[in-house]
Amino acid sequence: MIPYGKHDISQLDIDAVLTVLKSDFLTQGPMVPRFEQAVAEKVGARHALAVNSATSALHIACLALGLGEGDWLWTTPITFVASANCGRYCGARVDFVDIDTRTYNLCPQALAAKLERAETEGRLPKVVVAVHLCGQPCDMQAIHALGQRFGFRIIEDASHAIGGKYQGDYIGSGRYSDITVFSFHPVKIITTAEGGMALTNDDALAQRMDLLRSHGVTRDPALMTHEADGLWYYQQIDLGYNYRMTELQAALGLTQLERLDDYVARRNALAERYDAALAELPVTTPWQRPDSVSGRHLYVIRLKRDRVTPTHRQVFERLREQGIGVNLHYIPVHTQPYYREFDFKSGDFPAAEAYYAEAISLPMYPTMTHAQQDEVVRALTNALEVT
Ligand SMILES: *Cc1c(COP(=O)(O)O)cnc(C)c1O
């Protein structure tokens, strides 16, 4: 089976983790701050907070932005459920904005129209989570301008997008958002096994997220409500969690980070090779923004329904039968049973649902060979019954 994604572990990665195992610190040592500083410097952010997953990073990001009961969080339906669930963790209501038909990201025009309606109804969102699907950045300048006008805060869910660029800046620079989140799950662009990070240029948000990831407990006298009783003293000043990253994970992240640009270049080369190989097939290949570099976490094609005889499901199953580990990113979140409880139904977000009926993620990862890629193209040609 050719998997849809695959991590790449080098001897350098293994040595780095072993060194930590033999050291004095397995957690709360020097590697986590080193990893945070390296990522912050790489993408041009002031603060970076490593945590045990992107899901945790999204949670503390929402809390730091003050999201709570009675508030709304808006995001795209075409994302992993975590982009929406973070709102629910805080007791907020979640709503969705339909996707752009070219990028499959949250559509700024649909967002503007929905905001105007929400304003008259008095239910504007407090937070909008912009997800850079497949690594391709959202139209952040437009979303930011709407944030200024309608007063919402912006989280970039860049779980797919580390190493990519928007208008010349690395994603994570935070030019058009309050907080950016990365995931280091093994299928993503670089990995720490499990792991995530929240980046911000705002000192107060960084301080809040730092507290929230570690029980709301501080040893910093400047943050305490009254003077320390002694050298042992710590103070819980808020309700936080244990979302810390381990030293092993941070060491792995540091050596992975050194290969980030290579990975993104390799992924882009493979994507362009797919573009060329699929040009004659009845599929839509991924359109790319001219002002961006995508991290190319995923390569998603859409079937041209009017030119393909077998159904979407048949094409997908035939690919799997031929040993091609295709996947589908994603089932529209509003159609999940959990979210249907909030009165969402099929038909609410037509562009997202049309995408879901046609999309297939083809295998792509940095160590994929051209021979493997050719095998995918052959299998797809068979599955589509192209004659
Ligand atoms: C993977 C992913 C997440 C969650 O990442 P974890 O590190 O596994 O918690 C969130 N959002 C998107 C878009 C993702 O792809």
Side-chain angles (χ1 to χ4, degrees), residues 52-56 58 79-83 131-133 157-160 181-185 187-188 194-196 297 330:
N52 57 2
S53 71
T55 304
S56 303
L58 287 165
T79 186
F80 185 54
V81 293
S83 317
V131 182
H132 305 321
L133 189 72
D157 182 346
S159 293
H160 299 182
V181 168
F182 293 139
S183 172
F184 307 125
H185 182 279
V187 86
K188 308 293 165 72
E194 296 281 358
H297 166 52
Y330 291 93

Side-chain angles (χ1 to χ4, degrees), residues 221 224 226-235:
M224 292 184 185
H226 54 267
E227 218 171 288
D229 291 345
L231 285 179
W232 66 85
Y233 200 64
Y234 58 86
Q235 215 171 57

